[in-house]
Amino acid sequence: ILIGVRSRVSLRPGKEHRPAGSSGSGNTYMTQEEDWDRDLLLDPAWEKQQRKTFTAWCNSHLRKAGTQIENIEEDFRNGLKLMLLLEVISGERLPKPDKGKMRFHKIANVNKALDFICSKGVKLVSIGAEEIVDGNVKMTLGMIWTIILRFAIQDISVEETSAKEGLLLWCQRKTAPYRNVNVQNFHISWKDGLALCALIHRHRPDLIDYSKLRKDDPIGNLNTAFDVAEKYLDIPKMLDAEDIVNTPKPDEKAIMTYVSCFYHAFAGAEQAETAANRICKVLAVNQENEKLMEEYEKLASELLEWIRRTIPWLENRVAEKTMRAMQQKLEDFRDYRRVHKPPRVQEKCQLEINFNTLQTKLRLSNRPAFMPSEGKMVSDIANAWKGLEQVEKGYEEWLLTEIRRLERLDHLAEKFKQKCNMHESWTAGKEDLLSQKDYESASLMEIRALMRKHEAFESDLAAHQDRVEQIAAIAQELNELDYHDAASVNSRCQAICDQWDNLGTLTQKRRDALERVEKLWETIDQLYLEFAKRAAPFNNWMDGAMEDLQDMFIVHSIEEIQSLITAHDQFKATLPEADKERMATLGIHNEILKIAQTYGIKLSGINPYTNLTSQDITTKWDTVKHLVPLRDQMLQEEVARQQANERLRRQFAAQANIIGPWIQTKMEEISHVSVDIAGSLEDQMNSLKQYEQNIINYKSNIDKLEGDHQLSQESLIFDNKHTNYTMEHIRVGWEQLLTTIARTINEVENQILTRDAKGISQEQLNEFRASFNHFDRKRNGMMDPDDFRACLISMGYDLGEVEFARIMTLVDPNNTGVVTFQAFIDFMTRETAETDTAEQVMASFKILASDKNYITVEELRRELPPEQAEYCITRMTRYVGPDSPVDALDYISFSSALYGESDL
């Protein structure tokens, strides 16, 4: 495809003849002789036009040998002038003609001419020497048309088209800018004469003033063209203007013969256009490559900048003080994974695809490989991406750890608060009580009562020691877990510990004071004492039971909640025994009341050994019985929550256990498709596109799994024993699958690009793929050096160590130790296909420069389209040489730079 060329065409003038047996494009026209009889029978006017045209064409060549013909069917009958015509137009010598005048001599000479035509790869259909010798008009004209096709038209080719199409395309290109001209065929398009005048004016504007021509004067236009062509272009008058105008459809063969003379007359002027075409193609490739390089640099910079901005955010491990704030951080991270990162994954994949495509285009155009700016290589981006993912993984783990820690802290803080409230409630007033000196004025009985009461208090005090230790332990754990309000916790814990130490000191002082009493009071009512001794531990047991029944809990599995339920059931099993103890304790009180009633003792209503009353025991027992079913309800609610969590785990696992193997299977299938030699590359591409569409359609399953994963996290589910796949595994696998299918499609696209650009046939490509697959021992799309050497030897390469080392530097420039399929294809296409070279471009510039070693700015602007001309002017260095003009430019160094042989 020609890019930006001003109506220029690439002409490939053929040699004057082809070797015998060659298959030229002219053979495609030999079938026209089969229609010869039909043509003449359909329109006798065509025979007249062909007689005139073919006679003039033959004479244009025979006059070089000093002769001519008058009657085309008579003058070729003896074969002498026919042989002479073939020698003139081919430049070759034919066998000596027979000198006799007998019929068999004439047939022999004509056969020599026909044999020579056949030796040029031309099939003569229904044309025999006898018909020519007998003066058969149709056969004679058919033979001359065959000669014209072979020696005047066959080698005309524009943009790899056939001869007829090439000649028509050349005419269309040359006459495109002219008004009232629309060349679509070789008959009626030429009737008004404007097309012929346009051809002449395009190449020799000095010969015809096209602006003065009129479409309504076809005979005048045709005669003008005929006269000018005969006088100035040495093209004889082969047509008659009146015949062409008056014939509804002029003869196509006559017009083609005449027009081909114009092509050959102007063919020499096409060299400059051919050179300009080659240069424009090369420049267009460079411009496109530079644009791809700029796009790569821009995309790489933007992606690296995004990674640079994102990593510090993910590296920030400053924990929030509240669960709400940390959950917001987790939600921000989910938005990043769902919204912000996926487009960047696609950008990274597209960047790699663009880079591979660019390198393929550079290799195919024989250009040096693209080296991105420092720090922007694909490997640099991959490393930066790897660093991002490592930080990202650590950030998510840190978030979940912090949320667990805050959850634990909130639980401990609430537990600490409850225990402190209960303890402070118990210690309220105890210091004042211990500081009293009531024993100083008490009676003996009262002293004894105070002593017993103090012993009961000491027993109670010892029972509370465990709670104080629990409070201190919880405070210590809150400090170790870095609780945000540790200061107030520590302050409250310290106050409780200080108070507890003071209570111990006061208790000891009071005991010492009571023991100083010399006389021990007589035994007081054992029932009061027994009540006090039994009531105190039972009351403490009930306090502990109430505390346990109201204790907060946090679990993460059904097993854990079942353990709490089991413990609760064990506690409920002790209730009958506790009830017996309650009844026994209350029985003591009832016995006191009975004795007092029996013996008329007036009771003060206060047990001197304890502050506990039977009502206290009854009230607390009722509280315990009320808390038991509440605890049952809490545990069952937690069972329901854990069962729901388990359903979430199983739901997630059921999908993950399908999606994970599906992704792995697709990865394996894609790797098999990429090396499968069955079918064409287009078939392989279609197969990969179907895989890609299936993968895209599968995205809804990933999204659903993401939704289940989010539900699990919101329910604080952090483990799942039903699957080995985590959401992170699925995400990474999914991203790898998307990247792999995109890369594989790009590899096949590059193979198609390679095949089409290098002219490699599908059969050759299949052969290359079959050879590669045979030596791909591990079936992983790569060959190690030994297998690659064996593959080359199997394909006919005679390899020495030095040559093999050179080839390895081409196919494995990064010294990875393996040869990929793409590298193998690139090498084989370089070995089998032709590419444009710096020398070809220099030769093209030399034509435009009229064989000078430099080219001027004016010449560039005259010969090239504006965009390509300015591209060269801005990049070419000034040519320094004797007698060179000021605007002389060095096209030789510029051509070398295009192919990386020097700096541009």
Side-chain angles (χ1 to χ4, degrees):
I1 299 174
L2 306 184
I3 303 175
V5 182
R6 298 166 297 179
S7 300
R8 295 180 182 273
V9 295
S10 176
L11 302 179
R12 185 168 57 83
K15 297 179 182 179
E16 288 300 316
H17 62 85
R18 294 180 182 271
S22 65
S23 57
S25 60
N27 287 349
T28 59
Y29 294 108
M30 294 306 102
T31 57
Q32 295 189 43
E33 281 84 350
E34 299 173 3
D35 296 330
W36 193 266
D37 293 337
R38 179 176 55 82
D39 291 346
L40 291 180
L41 290 173
L42 287 175
D43 191 348
W46 289 0
E47 179 181 335
K48 177 183 177 182
Q49 292 175 3
Q50 288 171 6
R51 277 174 177 271
K52 181 177 179 64
T53 302
F54 292 178
T55 299
W57 184 85
C58 291
N59 284 334
S60 70
H61 293 284
L62 286 173
R63 69 185 180 187
K64 299 174 185 177
T67 186
Q68 65 179 15
I69 62 172
E70 298 294 336
N71 188 306
I72 196 167
E73 70 269 25
E74 290 294 331
D75 293 350
F76 285 140
R77 290 179 62 182
N78 60 10
L80 296 178
K81 288 189 177 182
L82 180 59
M83 294 177 68
L84 182 60
L85 174 66
L86 291 172
E87 287 184 346
V88 171
I89 62 177
S90 71
E92 299 181 33
R93 297 290 297 179
L94 271 68
K96 289 184 179 182
D98 290 4
K99 296 181 180 181
K101 297 183 180 181
M102 302 295 290
R103 176 179 172 81
F104 72 89
H105 292 120
K106 296 178 182 180
I107 292 175
N109 290 334
V110 173
N111 273 326
K112 289 176 182 180
L114 297 180
D115 290 342
F116 178 79
I117 296 173
C118 292
S119 71
K120 300 304 178 183
V122 178
K123 294 181 180 179
L124 294 173
V125 180
S126 303
I127 298 177
E130 290 81 357
E131 287 84 355
I132 305 301
V133 172
D134 292 338
N136 187 311
V137 177
K138 292 184 293 184
M139 293 302 173
T140 302
L141 292 176
M143 176 188 66
I144 298 303
W145 174 239
T146 299
I147 294 172
I148 292 171
L149 275 175
R150 173 59 184 83
F151 294 100
I153 296 178
Q154 177 176 303
D155 288 334
I156 297 174
S157 179
V158 178
E159 294 185 0
E160 305 303 324
T161 60
S162 63
K164 178 180 178 180
E165 293 167 342
L167 183 59
L168 185 63
L169 179 58
W170 180 79
C171 295
Q172 290 171 337
R173 294 279 179 83
K174 295 302 181 181
T175 61
Y178 291 88
R179 59 182 175 81
N180 295 327
V181 178
N182 182 18
V183 176
Q184 298 296 325
N185 49 56
F186 283 113
H187 36 81
I188 61 175
S189 294
W190 304 84
K191 288 188 66 173
D192 59 11
L194 290 177
L196 285 171
C197 291
L199 276 181
I200 297 173
H201 183 268
R202 180 62 184 271
H203 295 88
R204 291 289 304 275
D206 56 309
L207 299 181
I208 291 179
D209 186 353
Y210 188 83
S211 63
K212 294 183 178 180
L213 301 178
R214 304 195 320 275
K215 188 174 181 62
D216 59 359
D217 184 18
I219 292 180
N221 297 337
L222 287 168
N223 283 327
T224 297
F226 296 158
D227 294 341
V228 169
E230 187 171 35
K231 183 176 180 181
Y232 297 102
L233 304 179
D234 197 27
I235 299 176
K237 188 176 181 181
M238 300 182 182
L239 300 169
D240 184 87
E242 287 75 8
D243 289 344
I244 292 177
V245 173
N246 295 328
T247 303
K249 181 180 178 183
D251 179 59
E252 186 176 55
K253 299 177 180 63
I255 299 292
M256 281 182 64
T257 301
Y258 187 58
V259 172
S260 69
C261 294
F262 284 89
Y263 174 86
H264 291 295
F266 296 134
E270 304 299 333
Q271 282 190 331
E273 294 187 13
T274 303
N277 284 338
R278 182 187 296 276
I279 291 171
C280 287
K281 285 182 180 179
V282 171
L283 295 182
V285 169
N286 264 50
Q287 289 171 310
E288 181 183 0
N289 290 341
E290 287 176 4
K291 181 180 178 182
L292 290 175
M293 293 175 190
E294 292 173 1
E295 291 177 354
Y296 174 87
E297 291 279 346
K298 179 176 180 294
L299 190 56
S301 298
E302 292 175 353
L303 184 57
L304 289 171
E305 174 62 20
W306 178 80
I307 293 174
R308 184 191 67 77
R309 293 197 312 269
T310 304
I311 285 180
W313 173 63
L314 294 173
E315 287 178 336
N316 181 10
R317 300 294 195 271
V318 178
E320 300 293 339
K321 294 181 178 180
T322 64
M323 175 71 82
R324 179 184 294 274
M326 285 305 296
Q327 286 177 334
Q328 183 58 49
K329 274 184 175 289
L330 181 60
E331 186 59 33
D332 292 342
F333 181 69
R334 288 175 181 147
D335 286 341
Y336 157 78
R337 295 297 291 267
R338 290 193 305 261
V339 179
H340 302 293
K341 185 183 177 185
R344 301 299 179 176
V345 173
Q346 295 177 2
E347 287 181 11
K348 174 177 173 290
C349 179
Q350 188 62 45
L351 194 68
E352 295 176 1
I353 290 173
N354 291 351
F355 181 81
N356 293 335
T357 300
L358 174 58
Q359 298 293 37
T360 299
K361 289 186 175 181
L362 289 171
R363 286 194 303 272
L364 294 178
S365 58
N366 203 21
R367 304 304 196 272
F370 168 54
M371 287 297 293
S373 303
E374 183 176 356
K376 296 179 183 176
M377 293 286 291
V378 172
S379 58
D380 295 326
I381 294 170
N383 290 334
W385 191 267
K386 183 178 180 181
L388 173 71
E389 291 188 328
Q390 288 176 345
V391 174
E392 177 185 305
K393 182 179 180 182
Y395 185 70
E396 184 175 31
E397 292 174 352
W398 172 76
L399 280 176
L400 297 178
T401 301
E402 280 301 309
I403 288 175
R404 293 191 191 102
R405 183 181 70 82
L406 288 176
E407 180 189 29
R408 173 68 176 164
L409 283 174
D410 288 348
H411 170 70
L412 289 175
E414 186 62 28
K415 191 172 185 177
F416 176 81
K417 181 179 178 181
Q418 285 186 1
K419 287 188 177 293
C420 286
N421 288 341
M422 294 184 68
H423 178 77
E424 288 167 350
S425 175
W426 179 82
T427 59
K430 293 293 190 295
E431 290 175 298
D432 293 338
L433 183 64
L434 291 172
S435 298
Q436 288 180 358
K437 296 185 178 181
D438 49 353
Y439 52 83
E440 292 180 351
S441 59
S443 63
L444 182 60
M445 185 64 69
E446 291 170 338
I447 290 295
R448 288 179 175 175
L450 290 175
M451 189 65 187
R452 300 297 181 273
K453 183 177 180 181
H454 188 69
E455 289 176 354
F457 174 77
E458 285 182 325
S459 176
D460 200 11
L461 185 69
H464 279 79
Q465 175 69 30
D466 183 56
R467 181 177 294 127
V468 174
E469 292 176 355
Q470 290 178 6
I471 290 172
I474 293 173
Q476 177 65 25
E477 188 171 359
L478 286 170
N479 278 275
E480 291 174 352
L481 293 176
D482 195 20
Y483 182 53
H484 70 91
D485 197 17
S488 62
V489 170
N490 292 337
S491 176
R492 191 171 185 182
C493 180
Q494 187 62 47
I496 289 174
C497 290
D498 291 343
Q499 184 189 41
W500 186 255
D501 291 341
N502 189 41
L503 283 175
T505 301
L506 292 174
T507 300
Q508 186 61 41
K509 285 183 179 180
R510 185 169 179 83
R511 168 174 277 282
D512 293 342
L514 291 173
E515 285 178 348
R516 283 195 302 266
V517 178
E518 294 181 356
K519 190 176 181 181
L520 186 63
W521 299 98
E522 292 182 356
T523 302
I524 63 174
D525 194 341
Q526 292 299 318
L527 291 175
Y528 266 125
L529 182 59
E530 185 178 355
F531 177 86
K533 288 183 176 181
R534 298 190 72 162
F538 183 68
N539 179 70
N540 194 54
W541 176 86
M542 288 192 295
D543 285 342
M546 288 190 294
E547 183 176 349
D548 290 342
L549 289 170
Q550 298 177 82
D551 188 23
M552 298 179 66
F553 56 83
I554 178 170
V555 295
H556 295 95
S557 67
I558 292 179
E559 289 76 13
E560 292 179 13
I561 190 62
Q562 287 295 349
S563 176
L564 290 178
I565 291 174
T566 300
H568 184 59
D569 289 341
Q570 291 174 350
F571 167 76
K572 289 192 292 184
T574 65
L575 288 178
E577 189 65 30
D579 192 38
K580 290 180 181 179
E581 179 65 17
R582 179 184 69 84
M583 294 300 295
T585 303
L586 293 178
I588 295 172
H589 177 71
N590 292 334
E591 189 175 350
I592 291 173
L593 294 177
K594 184 178 179 180
I595 292 173
Q597 185 179 6
T598 301
Y599 296 102
I601 298 175
K602 187 177 180 181
L603 300 175
S604 63
I606 299 174
N607 190 327
Y609 306 114
T610 181
N611 290 326
L612 292 172
T613 66
S614 60
Q615 184 60 42
D616 294 335
I617 299 297
T618 300
T619 300
K620 285 192 176 183
W621 179 255
D622 291 340
T623 301
V624 169
K625 291 196 296 180
H626 175 70
L627 291 175
V628 168
L630 292 179
R631 183 73 168 182
D632 283 331
Q633 180 180 351
M634 290 176 61
L635 292 173
Q636 290 305 317
E637 289 174 353
E638 184 62 27
V639 167
R641 191 174 77 86
Q642 290 302 324
Q643 288 174 341
N645 288 352
E646 182 67 12
R647 286 193 295 273
L648 285 176
R649 288 188 182 95
R650 293 181 182 276
Q651 182 174 330
F652 177 88
Q655 294 184 81
N657 289 336
I658 294 173
I659 293 174
W662 184 88
I663 291 176
Q664 182 62 34
T665 299
K666 291 301 175 187
M667 291 283 285
E668 294 172 358
E669 290 177 353
I670 291 169
S671 66
H672 288 315
V673 171
S674 64
V675 296
D676 186 7
I677 66 169
S680 65
L681 286 175
E682 284 74 11
D683 294 337
Q684 193 176 13
M685 175 64 72
N686 291 334
S687 178
L688 287 170
K689 288 289 186 180
Q690 291 176 359
Y691 272 104
E692 183 181 41
Q693 189 58 50
N694 290 339
I695 291 170
I696 292 172
N697 294 339
Y698 201 76
K699 179 64 164 57
S700 60
N701 296 300
I702 305 297
D703 294 338
K704 185 176 185 303
L705 191 66
E706 284 280 9
D708 289 345
H709 176 65
Q710 182 169 344
L711 290 176
S712 297
Q713 287 198 335
E714 290 172 352
S715 299
L716 301 179
I717 301 172
F718 304 112
D719 58 350
N720 195 333
K721 66 182 179 180
H722 304 297
T723 181
N724 292 326
Y725 294 100
T726 66
M727 196 64 232
E728 182 64 24
H729 292 150
I730 299 298
R731 290 189 192 116
V732 171
W734 179 252
E735 291 174 1
Q736 288 178 346
L737 180 60
L738 291 177
T739 300
T740 299
I741 186 64
R743 285 175 179 165
T744 305
I745 289 174
N746 180 246
E747 289 175 0
V748 177
E749 288 174 342
N750 287 339
Q751 291 177 35
I752 293 174
L753 186 62
T754 300
R755 180 196 67 191
D756 295 343
K758 296 298 185 178
I760 302 299
S761 68
Q762 185 65 49
E763 291 72 18
Q764 286 177 296
L765 201 55
N766 286 344
E767 181 182 347
F768 295 157
R769 292 165 69 188
S771 299
F772 182 91
N773 290 348
H774 179 76
F775 290 95
D776 178 12
R777 314 288 189 187
K778 299 178 181 178
R779 294 295 182 266
N780 61 355
M782 293 179 287
M783 290 189 291
D784 60 31
D786 290 339
D787 290 336
F788 178 54
R789 180 196 293 269
C791 182
L792 291 181
I793 292 174
S794 73
M795 300 178 73
Y797 282 80
D798 185 11
L799 296 174
E801 291 299 327
V802 175
E803 174 63 11
F804 182 69
R806 182 190 70 81
I807 294 175
M808 282 302 297
T809 62
L810 296 177
V811 298
D812 185 20
N814 296 324
N815 199 25
T816 60
V818 294
V819 179
T820 65
F821 180 65
Q822 186 61 45
F824 175 72
I825 289 296
D826 289 343
F827 171 73
M828 293 308 301
T829 54
R830 281 197 301 271
E831 293 292 301
T832 58
E834 296 181 358
T835 59
D836 58 329
T837 64
E839 290 73 16
Q840 291 175 330
V841 176
M842 291 180 197
S844 298
F845 274 117
K846 193 174 184 68
I847 292 173
L848 299 186
S850 301
D851 286 336
K852 300 190 301 292
N853 289 330
Y854 61 85
I855 191 166
T856 66
V857 172
E858 180 185 358
E859 288 171 333
L860 284 171
R861 287 178 173 155
R862 183 179 69 237
E863 298 295 341
L864 297 179
E867 183 180 354
Q868 278 78 11
E870 294 306 316
Y871 181 86
C872 294
I873 292 169
T874 57
R875 286 166 172 76
M876 284 185 181
T877 58
R878 187 175 181 278
Y879 178 83
V880 179
D883 302 325
S884 61
V886 176
D887 62 346
L889 298 176
D890 184 357
Y891 64 78
I892 295 177
S893 62
F894 174 78
S895 300
S896 298
L898 288 176
Y899 293 86
E901 299 174 11
S902 62
D903 294 330
L904 192 60

